[in-house]
Every structure is written in structure tokens, then in C-alpha cells.
Amino acid sequence: MNKIKSCTKCNLHNNQPPLLDKLAKADVMWIGLSAKKIKHEQDIPLNNGTITGDIIQQIEKDLLAYKFYKTNLVKCLPLKNDKLRYPSKDECEACFANFIKEIQFTEPKIVFLLGKIVSDFIIKKLDLTIENAENISNYTIYYQNGIYYIHVMHPSYIYVYKRNTVQNYIKNLKELILCYA
């Protein structure tokens, strides 16, 4: 994993080194789009200091029998004029091999793809097909090589645009973990 920490495949490492969770085997992997600006050296992706991380923490808090790993498709901080921006397709491509290394190391049973950009990219790169998928409760669940890939709306989208459904979102994702992990 030191290769990920020292990655220089694109110029984003100049903004901030790759942001990683503590690498360990996991039942569930959460994958967001890109790193946020770290405030403390011990920060991890999707930490509970963010809306997304807070919602993920609410999902995880009662599931003590499961191990979780948090990451982003793009490990470094994409900036434009010192403001966070969406990463480019080339930046996603450059970091994809790091995502594959994380999958191989953590061996998750479920990978939650947070949001449309992440889902579309990963589904295309892994060539996940609808023939290998099932639809349950408005979630499309792909299966490949022993892993369930589940496209879900991004937690911050739920919080901002569908706030009255946050508790239902949390409940549904807990149920998916209990069913597939």
C-alpha cells in the first residue's frame, strides 16, 4: 500500500498526498469520488467530520460485527483556484489501479458506489453488466468475483436534496449490509 501513498500518476499529489483509510480486511467498502482537504494528519476518507462521513457513521454504528473501509476513487485533492472541484476522467483513470489494489487488499463483500459519477465510472471500468445484477428496493446490485457492487445515491445528496429521507436511507443501507455482507 506504500505504492498508493507515494503515487504520482497525476499532478493531484502536489495538492495533497493520497488520503487513505487504515488498510485492513473489510466486509464493506465505501467509495466516494475524491479526497477532501485534510485538517489533521490522522484524517481518513469520508470521515465523520463531513456530512457524508456522519451519515456513513450512523449506518455503521449498530453493525459492530462488520468491518468497514472508506476510500475515494481519486485519492488526492482536486483543486481549481484553491477550491475543490470534480476530478477529470483522466484523474479517475490514473487512480483506478489504486482502487483495484485496495479491493485486492481489503477483500470486501460489498462495495458501495457513492453517487452517479463514481458508479458510472466503476461500472464501466469493471464491465459490470445488468445481466449480473439484481434490483432490490430501488438499488441495482452487481455481482462480480465474489463482490457485490451497489450503486447508491451519495449521502450528501440525500442530506441536501432529500433530507426527509435520510433515516430511511440509513435503514435501507443497513439492511443491504445485513443481507449481502
Side-chain angles (χ1 to χ4, degrees):
M1 290 292 118
N2 285 336
K3 287 184 180 183
I4 297 174
K5 289 181 181 179
S6 60
C7 180
T8 58
K9 290 182 183 176
C10 69
N11 289 329
L12 293 182
H13 70 280
N14 293 322
N15 298 333
Q16 177 176 290
L19 184 60
L20 295 172
D21 198 348
K22 292 160 189 61
L23 289 168
K25 302 294 182 201
D27 301 301
V28 178
M29 176 185 277
W30 305 97
I31 178 164
L33 181 57
S34 66
K36 304 284 188 234
K37 190 163 187 86
I38 60 170
K39 296 176 185 167
H40 308 286
E41 213 169 286
Q42 66 272 18
D43 278 352
I44 62 169
L46 309 169
N47 73 54
N48 62 0
T50 64
I51 291 168
T52 297
D54 181 57
I55 291 172
I56 289 172
Q57 184 181 37
Q58 289 179 57
I59 295 166
E60 294 176 350
K61 75 177 178 183
D62 297 324
L63 300 173
L64 302 177
Y66 299 93
K67 294 180 184 150
F68 298 91
Y69 180 80
K70 299 172 184 80
T71 192
N72 288 301
L73 178 58
V74 175
K75 313 295 181 231
C76 297
L77 180 67
L79 294 174
K80 182 176 182 176
N81 301 324
D82 289 328
K83 296 212 184 251
L84 186 64
R85 63 167 173 80
Y86 289 124
S88 70
K89 186 174 191 273
D90 288 342
E91 292 162 344
C92 293
E93 290 284 347
C95 214
F96 182 71
N98 291 331
F99 167 70
I100 295 299
K101 287 176 193 170
E102 288 175 300
I103 290 278
Q104 292 168 342
F105 186 84
T106 59
E107 299 177 346
K109 295 176 182 106
I110 299 174
V111 176
F112 281 107
L113 307 171
L114 303 178
K116 182 171 175 37
I117 296 171
V118 170
S119 293
D120 288 352
F121 185 84
I122 298 295
I123 288 166
K124 183 175 181 184
K125 286 297 287 184
L126 294 178
D127 195 28
L128 300 175
T129 62
I130 210 74
E131 290 81 32
N132 295 333
E134 57 183 300
N135 290 307
I136 296 177
S137 300
N138 298 322
Y139 297 101
T140 302
I141 303 168
Y142 300 88
Y143 185 77
Q144 184 181 78
N145 298 327
I147 301 171
Y148 294 98
Y149 293 87
I150 306 175
H151 161 64
V152 298
M153 286 188 213
H154 198 284
S156 62
Y157 174 85
I158 296 293
Y159 181 82
V160 171
Y161 297 105
K162 298 184 175 208
R163 191 168 302 185
N164 62 337
T165 67
V166 169
Q167 291 309 310
N168 195 44
Y169 179 84
I170 290 168
K171 177 181 164 277
N172 288 343
L173 270 55
K174 280 182 180 183
E175 288 174 2
L176 288 169
I177 292 168
L178 291 170
C179 185
Y180 290 97

